[in-house]
Every structure is written in C-alpha cells, then in structure tokens.
Amino acid sequence: MEKKIWEIQFLSPPSVFKYCKKCGKKTAFTCSGQFRINAQRRYLDIWLIYKCIHCSATWNAEVFSRVSPQSIPAELLDGFYQNDEALAERYAMDIAFLRGNGVEVEPPQYSVIGDSFSPNEAVELEIKTAYSLPVRVSSLIRAKLHLSQKEYLQLVTSGIIQSIPTQDLRKCRLNDGITLIFKGCPPYLW
Ligand SMILES: [Zn+2]
C-alpha cells in the first residue's frame, strides 16, 4: 500500500471578530505579533495584542493573568519580552485560546500540500498539521480528490475509506491530524 502525506500550509493566522468601540460595530481584528506585559507588584499580566482592521483600536487577548514570573520558564518569558515571532504565531493559531478569550474566530486560510490520487487506489494517507485545525475531514478530502458529497459518502459507508483510529468520517474534524486508509476498489463499485 502506497503511503502519502498531505501537509496543511497556513496562509495567515485567523482574524477574530468582536465589537470595536471606536468603529461602533462588530469588526475583524488581526494579530499584531506583539505581546504586552504589565508587571504589578509580584505578578505579571501578559497579553497578545490585536488591532481592528479599520481603525487600529487594540484588543488584548489574555495569555497569563496575575502569574508570578518564577512560575513561567525563563525562555518562555524571554519570548514574550522579545515578541518572539514563533511564540506569537503559536497563540495566534490557537483557536481554543482565542475562543477562550470570548471572541468569534474564523478558521484560518490554508492550502493542502501533497499529491492528489484516485480514490480507487490503495493508499495510506497521513494528513499533518502544525496547528490544530477544526475543519471537517470530509470537506478537505472532497476538495482535494474532487469528490461529490454523494461519492464521498459511498466510499465511507462501503468501508473503502477508513481511519486509524476509527472515527466517524462523515463528520469528524481534522484537529491535530489524521491517518486514512483507502482500501482500493475497482471504479465500478462506487
Ligand atoms: Zn475599529
């Protein structure tokens, strides 16, 4: 069985949506890549700064609230002070973190890097992603392999596409990645 790997390439971190006081309406905010740190007595507050795309009003996503500096590994703390790009991206791509801050988040734009193939072929397909992505596996597969909803469902219900471990491929989401088994079949079977 041939092994194939698809990798999710993210085009940009997701925008968040919230009410902007200055604009007087709900609008999109994008990540500035900058952290803000406030030291109060023995405690730190750390935020990731977002900016309204219309007026540059800022909104702060809370990373840490009232933590003692000693409780954060020195390297991580340094990353916050230096506005480390990879560290800011890690938070900006974390949809659960953003939703936990009480804003609406649109899943990020992405493309799927890897070879397409015929669903008749016997293939072990691993879909890798650097960041958790809550898109449906079905829509990802259908788009990449050019399958209609009906064709995809037939392949799943007839057991020609399976996953390891077993998940409901009609509705499961990619999240941290998945491995699929295409068992291979003559084209007339679906
Ligand atoms: Zn605004």
Side-chain angles (χ1 to χ4, degrees), residues 20-25 27-29 52-57:
C20 175
K21 279 183 196 163
K22 225 166 141 187
C23 291
K25 61 177 182 187
T27 170
F29 285 68
C52 169
I53 58 168
H54 299 295
C55 72
S56 295

